Amino acid sequence: MSGAGHRGGGVTDFSTYLGPEDTLAGRPAEGGIVGRSGLASGTGKVDGPPKVTGAAVYTADLRLPRMAHAKLLRSPHAHARILAIDAAEALAMPGVLAVLTGADLPGRHGPIPVARDETALAVDKVRYRGEPVACVAAVDEATAREALARVRVDYEPLPAVFTLDEALDPGSPAIHEHLARKAARTGRSPNVLRRVHQSFGDPDAGFAEADLVMEESYFYPGSTHVPLEPHAALAAPEPGGRLRVWTSTQNPHSVHRTIAAVLGLDPAAVRLTKPEVGGGYGGKCDTFVTELCASALALRLGRPVRLALEREEVFYAHRGRHPTRMRVKMGLKADGRITALELEALANGGAYASYGVVTAYYLGVFGTLPYRLDHYRFTATRVYTNLPPCGPKRGHGAIQPRFAIELHLDRMAHALGLDPAEVRLRNAVEPNTVTVNGLRVTSVGLRECVERVVEASGYRDKRGRLGPGRGVGLAASAYMSGALHPTYANEGPHSMVQVKVDRSGRVTILSGTADIGQGSNHMLATVVAERLGIEPADCTVVEADTDLTPVDLGSYSSRVTFMAGNAALQAAERVRKRLVSAVSAELGCDPADLVLRGRRVFVRDEPDRGVDWRRAIALAEAEAGALGAMGSYRPPRIGNRFRRQSVGPSPAYSFTAQVAEVSVDLETGEVRVEHVWCAHDLGRVLHPEIAAGQIEGCVYMGVGEALLEEQAYRDGLLRAPSLLEYRVPTVHETPAIHPILVESHDPEGPFGAKEVGEGPQLGTVPAIAAAIHDATGAWLTAPPYTPDKVLAALRRRGVR
Amino acid sequence: MSDPTRPGGSPPEPPRSRGPGRGPASEVVASFLVNGEAVRALVPATRTLLEFLRDELGLTGTKHGCDLGDCGACTVLVDGVPRLACLTLVAELEGAAVTTVEGLAADGRLSPIQDALDRHGAAQCGYCTPGIAVNLTALLAEEPHPDDAAIREVLGSNICRCTGYTRILDAAREVAGGGQ
């Protein structure tokens, strides 16, 4: 269904590859984008052609015989008790098959075990406007939609909580009852999901040591992912009491487990398949009402049921960026060295936890990268409000504090008369070190990122010299390559991959990973092909089907290249050993002298002495039977240095520096981002176009958050629940994006690779904010930088 | 349709209505071409081309993104002109020639713009790609060598959330420049 590839040629140039012991780490780093303008024909991704021809199959494209359609009735209240639901009139309509309410699916779920506070449909209470209350199944979508109006729900409205201040008030009405009991004991607000406070070193001594201490407040707005494909799920009963589910998800494993838990099924009785996914960016990490209600209805009705969201509903499904109020206090020596950092972050999380416990940690933990800090403390609080739930969006939890810290650092550099680029270089974290909060840092390409982006953009020549209304700004950042600890406690690998080899020469890679457009299928094919001396086009990737593919934890926390890539590499290495053993016996040579390259296995110094790929397979099968292998990856056991250090550490960190160039219309306040140069240390380039595409996508999403996007509400009702009103950047608002690939050869990454899918977004907004300052002299501390805000700032400064 | 699992049995059936608040629907007949093949549609007057392509012809390459004409994912050609299938009624199509993304590749070979989009890595999640391929096809048919401004003008009606448009522009420029 997904990911099958039949391509000729591979774009990645591994021609300098020498032999099995000589991993890709031996190849000199080239940086930049290799061959971007001179691509030969047929060098796209393994799953490229289906996507450009319309043949790629997404969940809502699937049709099954007798397929019924489901629609959701949603709450008009932000906070209300459900007194009664009467579905009789809807059920009496011709064509209506069933109506589900919260009582039918009462099991609580949530992606983080300590905060399972959500139900498929509201039980007893609604907690945000737009929360699903009932689900109607009918023979067609129109009938289901019409029946929604005939489901009567009696509500008793309750006082609602919308803002951070309301949520933090000890007298605020409790959104979740179990927290009310706890709050009554402690005298604190009943709407705090998690408060994390950590302190390292001696921050007060650090501030005392500083030549300049500054403290300022920042606000980062909420925004939402807007995947172009609305969430959809299709479920069908299977013979033998099994259930099949197809769904648009980033985390097939987590959704598989959750469906089984909520429906009370043995997970072995559920087969979950992820078709192509039309974008996620974090927005399809949770288990959604689509999956749970389609599954329950399919079992109840004994026929397939599809539940696909409409565009407006996607905005209410949300799980987007937490609007976050922050206070940053930083100490700097006169030479720019950071002496101490203090961060306070308050995040408005909406009605349910989602990944919010993790958000609370991420808001603080990553404060110690990318700069060396000896003294650091933070307090991060994630609260409940009566708004659609926030969750993980690209750069989860790290985007907001990085914005505040980078802009703050720029302000302090400015105050001290220092070059902001030099300040970044002076503080850059060193490779093979441990941060003050215990993050083990291996490869670091930050210095090269800063130098190359400064060079490429002409930052030093441009800063302060472009004239009124034009400016440049710089920011740096770091991000994780997957989490050391899984989202639920288990001792198993985080990723497992099976490689099977057919006598035809075709190699099939089976993996529970979820390609959501980021290119993980091609990554797997590249890693395996490189190890076996064949081309990515020789590989078929079968992904994310729980009956076929071994578990992978999912596409979150930028983990897939590092973890699934390593699992694939291990599986391929095991296959390679079999091939080398059989071929060396045939040729009578030392196995160590054999090279796999160009669909051949041959003696390194005698390239004519060897066998072709199919012959090698035949020899390996003859020697020891079926040819295939499993590989797995579990992160290293890096000891926790203190309690509750489990959220945040990663086996490797990526590093980024970027420069934005903007123009600001001093009459209208309109900001245009003209260019963004973004240098990203991804360890090792596995595929230059895909890697560059991830950087471009990150910068694009950052530009949207900088200039246009805000998930805003009026009394809990979305202000912009359509693509016309919620303004994502079109081509007209998108700058020229100049990606620069920096390689630091991570010792543990597959061929040295690290993440590239999220990190490049972290610095985009602060770089733009710094550029606006360069253009106008105004420090704008709360994106999005819409004309009204910019004009107000210019007026305050007397520019207008 | 009655359902034995429902309580209380089925009341007499009222007239079928289609869509919210539209009342009983009148049906229309339209004959037109879809990717060169003759189609005769007998559909409710409210049936959109997007629904018809996806649900009745099984041409699911044309994507449903918003139903409001905002995103461009459902762009098709009607008599060579880009149209949003979600805002086009089947009833309007008598005698028209519709081309969808499935109709761009000829003899199993990618069209020049499809090939370029593929090679440049312009499709990440791929959900916007059919609409973009169709839209750029229309531009290139009308003006084989459009300048950058013309390409941008056309792309302005397609939202892509993955790529930052960079590789889509590169692909379009390559084809517009005659492959140079």
Side-chain angles (χ1 to χ4, degrees), chain A residues 260-283:
Chain A
V262 172
L263 270 67
L265 301 172
D266 179 348
V270 179
R271 176 179 180 182
L272 185 134
T273 306
K274 178 213 74 91
E276 296 294 348
V277 170
Y281 327 106

Side-chain angles (χ1 to χ4, degrees), chain A residues 73-87 100-104 119-128 130-135 151-158 177 352:
Chain A
L73 180 69
R74 291 171 178 274
S75 166
H77 299 285
H79 198 192
R81 207 171 305 287
I82 299 171
L83 301 177
I85 301 178
D86 179 359
L100 291 182
T101 66
D104 294 305
T119 49
L121 299 164
V123 175
D124 298 336
K125 230 171 97 159
V126 290
R127 295 179 175 88
Y128 66 94
E131 180 167 1
V133 173
C135 183
V151 177
R152 308 205 184 290
V153 185
D154 289 337
Y155 294 100
E156 176 195 340
L158 299 168
E177 278 64 27
Y352 293 98

